[in-house]
Amino acid sequence: MKFELTYVIEDHGWAEAEIKSADGVHHIYNISYLSDAFLGLSDSVLRLLRGSQEEGCAFEHEPGRTKIRFIRSGEELKVLVYSFEREMLDEPWEKGVVFFQTSVALKRLKSQFLNQADNILNSIGSAEYKEQWGSEFPIENYEAIKNS
């Protein structure tokens, strides 16, 4: 199974994500508006495309936090999903528990991110995204990722 990423805005201030690969499936439930999770993910994807060797992003829960770490080796990425007990506290990776691990080609991560961004824009649009999420849709990152 190829790497698949889904990210869905659910209700006002809530989202869900899922990572599927040959290594299994990991669901990230109850992502909260406490932080701008999709912006963080877009920042990570963009920096990786620009050559960064390691990036990470966080999804806040109530309670708890999920962090995704991307470690680059050439055009391949190791993806580690960590769980932390407390939200809004940026603890080092070593304090988290790895719940899921897989790998993906950078090109595949890019296409999966763009698919999810397109789904959000096509289903609710940027105005409704802001209404439901409380933050602007990361359009600058989206365009930069699309054009890289």
Side-chain angles (χ1 to χ4, degrees), residues 8-39:
V8 179
I9 303 295
E10 293 290 321
D11 285 326
H12 278 26
W14 297 102
E16 291 189 3
E18 181 178 81
I19 298 171
K20 290 183 186 178
S21 74
D23 299 307
V25 178
H26 184 73
H27 301 278
I28 306 170
Y29 297 108
N30 301 322
I31 300 168
S32 168
Y33 70 96
L34 291 174
S35 70
D36 198 346
F38 199 66
L39 172 63

Side-chain angles (χ1 to χ4, degrees), residues 6-115:
T6 59
Y7 189 96
V8 179
I9 303 295
E10 293 290 321
D11 285 326
H12 278 26
W14 297 102
E16 291 189 3
E18 181 178 81
I19 298 171
K20 290 183 186 178
S21 74
D23 299 307
V25 178
H26 184 73
H27 301 278
I28 306 170
Y29 297 108
N30 301 322
I31 300 168
S32 168
Y33 70 96
L34 291 174
S35 70
D36 198 346
F38 199 66
L39 172 63
L41 178 60
S42 71
D43 283 340
S44 291
V45 172
L46 183 56
R47 287 191 295 259
L48 288 163
L49 288 166
R50 290 180 173 166
S52 179
Q53 296 301 301
E54 183 173 336
E55 289 299 329
C57 57
F59 299 163
E60 304 300 337
H61 309 282
E62 293 180 38
R65 176 182 245 208
T66 297
K67 288 172 71 174
I68 302 175
R69 184 180 193 182
F70 301 98
I71 302 170
R72 185 175 181 165
S73 177
E75 293 303 307
E76 290 293 314
L77 302 170
K78 183 176 184 179
V79 181
L80 300 149
V81 181
Y82 293 75
S83 178
F84 293 83
E85 289 184 20
R86 296 182 287 175
E87 70 272 3
M88 302 304 293
L89 184 62
D90 196 17
E91 296 180 295
W93 297 112
E94 297 77 29
K95 294 217 174 189
V97 176
V98 176
F99 270 85
F100 185 73
Q101 181 175 324
T102 193
S103 61
V104 63
L106 179 56
K107 210 162 89 170
R108 179 74 180 172
L109 177 64
K110 172 187 173 180
S111 71
Q112 289 295 292
F113 172 82
L114 289 173
N115 286 345

